[in-house]
Amino acid sequence: MTQTIGFLGTGRMASAMIIRSLKQGYAVQVWNRSTAKTEPLVALGAKACATPADAVRNADIVISFMADDSGAEAVWLGVDGALSAMKPETLAIECSTLSHGFVLELSAKITAAGSAYIDAPVTGVPADIQAGNTVFLIGADNAVLDRARPFMNAVGKQIVHFGPIGSGTVYKLMHNLLGAVHIAAAAELVAVAQKAGLDGDLVAETFANGANASMSGKITVPGMVSGNHHEGIHFTTGLRAKDASYAMQLATDMGMSLPVGRAASDVFVKATSDGFGDLAQSAVIETLKTN
């Protein structure tokens, strides 16, 4: 029998996984705050739902892709939230990048209600997700993860099980903080090179082929050089700032200071407050140029 997947959120990453799920033969129910964003998915075979509760009703698996803790809290626990309508034993797979503390709080409420929770943030850009190259970073009980493996193997390429609930989020937050460090440092390189009058295209090419290049840097340096932060957005400056802030809160909770991560986090928080939050991460260079 075909399994039904309920999706909460239809942002870039979620939409890519929804498309992949439809291609793999799953029945898909979707909810998004902006109904216009569900229309292309409905054209591909998804069913649009009016509330999070409607999207998860009779679903075997529920997957959430929300921007932050407040968004996740609203769709799971709010009025017409998913938790109010899930049938017993539903697999709740939280793919959002959330704060560690909130993941533990949310998982406790979902498991207390009789469903099974999987901490499952993902890596990859939307094109990777749609192509089935998702990497799931898992925190879950072994038995619960085993129930989810058929779906995850169908839509992704790798399942990395770090341990109990919360451990997937620990890795994802530090992974994304490392990305913030790479991008902020690359932006400093480009900003100095531009002020010194170096050819931007040559700087980008040399960086991409050099020993210090990272994937995050390779993706963002061309936008820093061109000043085009509006097109081809895979991840925004604001989302990077949010993830870095959550990572620093985790470090604080663990009694650690992480001075390098703090510096990068502060740069992205400042760029967001400067009005670049909805732009590509390359826009962080604009803040560095004026400070």
Side-chain angles (χ1 to χ4, degrees), residues 172-184:
K172 179 62 185 295
L173 290 177
M174 299 315 300
H175 172 87
N176 280 15
L177 181 63
L178 179 60
V181 171
H182 287 176
I183 295 166

Side-chain angles (χ1 to χ4, degrees), residues 189-276:
L189 182 155
V190 175
V192 170
Q194 288 180 332
K195 192 163 187 177
L198 277 62
D199 180 274
D201 292 336
L202 184 59
V203 168
E205 179 183 354
T206 305
F207 170 80
N209 293 306
N212 291 325
S214 66
M215 185 60 68
S216 297
K218 287 181 179 180
I219 290 172
T220 54
V221 163
M224 295 175 191
V225 169
S226 69
N228 183 353
H229 314 301
H230 300 78
E231 298 178 340
I233 299 175
H234 299 304
F235 201 68
T236 67
T237 296
L239 286 176
R240 182 68 68 176
K242 178 266 300 184
D243 290 353
S245 295
Y246 285 168
M248 293 311 303
Q249 182 59 56
L250 171 63
T252 298
D253 292 343
M254 297 176 68
M256 303 175 73
S257 60
L258 307 188
V260 176
R262 170 61 66 193
S265 177
D266 288 347
V267 168
F268 274 92
V269 169
K270 179 64 163 58
T272 300
S273 69
D274 285 346
F276 301 114

